[in-house]
Amino acid sequence: MSGTSVAAAIAQAGAPGRLSCSGQRRAPVCGMGVCFECRANVDGCPQQRTCQLPAAEGMVVLTDD
C-alpha cells in the first residue's frame, strides 16, 4: 500500500484497532499524531503513531500491544 499510512492500511484491511484500558476498540481520530489513538507495535517498536508512519511491504503491526 505504497503512499498510505499504517493507520490507513489497518483500516483498509479491516483489521481491528488497539484496545483501550477499558477494553474498547480505538481508531485514529486526528490523523496527525496528536490524539495517540492510532498507537500500535510496529516491527517490534511499541507505541508507534501509525497515522504518521508510512506503510511498507513486510511490516509487522500488532494493534493489541
Side-chain angles (χ1 to χ4, degrees), residues 1-4 6-8 12 14 16-19 24-25 29-30 32 37-38 41 43-45 52-53 55 61:
M1 295 190 180
S2 180
T4 192
V6 172
Q12 289 173 358
R18 71 177 187 85
L19 288 174
Q24 296 177 328
R25 287 282 172 199
V29 177
C30 70
M32 60 185 175
E37 293 296 336
C38 66
N41 183 311
D43 292 333
C45 296
Q52 298 295 295
L53 200 59
V61 180

Side-chain angles (χ1 to χ4, degrees), residues 34-62:
V34 297
C35 74
F36 291 82
E37 293 296 336
C38 66
R39 291 173 293 156
N41 183 311
V42 180
D43 292 333
C45 296
Q47 305 297 319
Q48 297 296 302
R49 290 177 284 173
T50 62
C51 69
Q52 298 295 295
L53 200 59
E57 188 74 29
M59 281 182 154
V60 176
V61 180
L62 304 172

